[in-house]
Amino acid sequence: MLHSLKIVKEAVVHAENVEHKLFEESIVLTKSFNFTNDSSVEGQRKILAAITSQEPQYKNEYGDLVEWKAVLIVEVCEVDFDIPPMDEYAEIFSHFIEMPPAATLQDVIHKFYPDYVWGEMI
């Protein structure tokens, strides 16, 4: 069964004198999600770790190291169509979330996902 996961990713930008965070919302397709096993906190951590392992570290145009990690599963939906073979996780959509420099994940949840109740905070 194919599922789509709406996730929030967080990036830490290691600048010369200060670190700051960026946030991104992504829609990821996966064929390995199982509600019975993966809706637990441990199951969510496993999925987020697997998605994070696919995120490359890179240097931005200023030479600062940027490290992305998946930090929250917001929503899970079954997808009722067939797609060609793919990796375990395939990102199909993403956009940056505009927040002040000192914003936290809790600030993002409060502003963009006020009805968030799926699982516990990871």
Side-chain angles (χ1 to χ4, degrees):
M1 176 68 59
L2 190 63
H3 289 85
S4 101
L5 309 176
K6 182 187 287 186
I7 63 170
V8 174
K9 295 179 186 177
E10 177 182 271
V12 175
V13 180
H14 302 279
E16 189 173 308
N17 296 324
V18 66
E19 287 188 356
H20 64 280
K21 295 182 179 181
L22 305 170
F23 295 93
E24 178 182 276
E25 178 183 84
S26 295
I27 307 267
V28 176
L29 288 179
T30 181
K31 53 190 171 186
S32 64
F33 185 84
N34 178 318
F35 271 106
T36 305
N37 300 327
D38 296 333
S39 50
S40 68
V41 172
E42 190 56 41
Q44 291 178 50
R45 284 189 183 127
K46 182 183 106 191
I47 291 169
L48 293 171
I51 294 169
T52 296
S53 72
Q54 295 182 346
E55 293 292 328
Q57 296 179 0
Y58 60 90
K59 291 198 176 203
N60 65 13
E61 62 189 38
Y62 305 108
D64 305 326
L65 180 65
V66 180
E67 297 177 285
W68 284 96
K69 73 178 191 174
V71 293
L72 183 69
I73 299 173
V74 177
E75 186 175 10
V76 178
C77 298
E78 286 185 15
V79 177
D80 192 22
F81 59 86
D82 291 329
I83 62 166
M86 60 178 226
D87 292 335
E88 187 174 351
Y89 299 97
E91 183 176 83
I92 59 170
F93 173 79
S94 69
H95 68 93
F96 287 104
I97 297 174
E98 297 271 341
M99 292 297 288
T104 65
L105 178 59
Q106 195 63 37
D107 296 331
V108 172
I109 292 169
H110 180 59
K111 182 173 182 177
F112 293 99
Y113 312 106
D115 297 333
Y116 175 77
V117 293
W118 195 76
E120 296 181 29
M121 289 291 295
I122 303 296

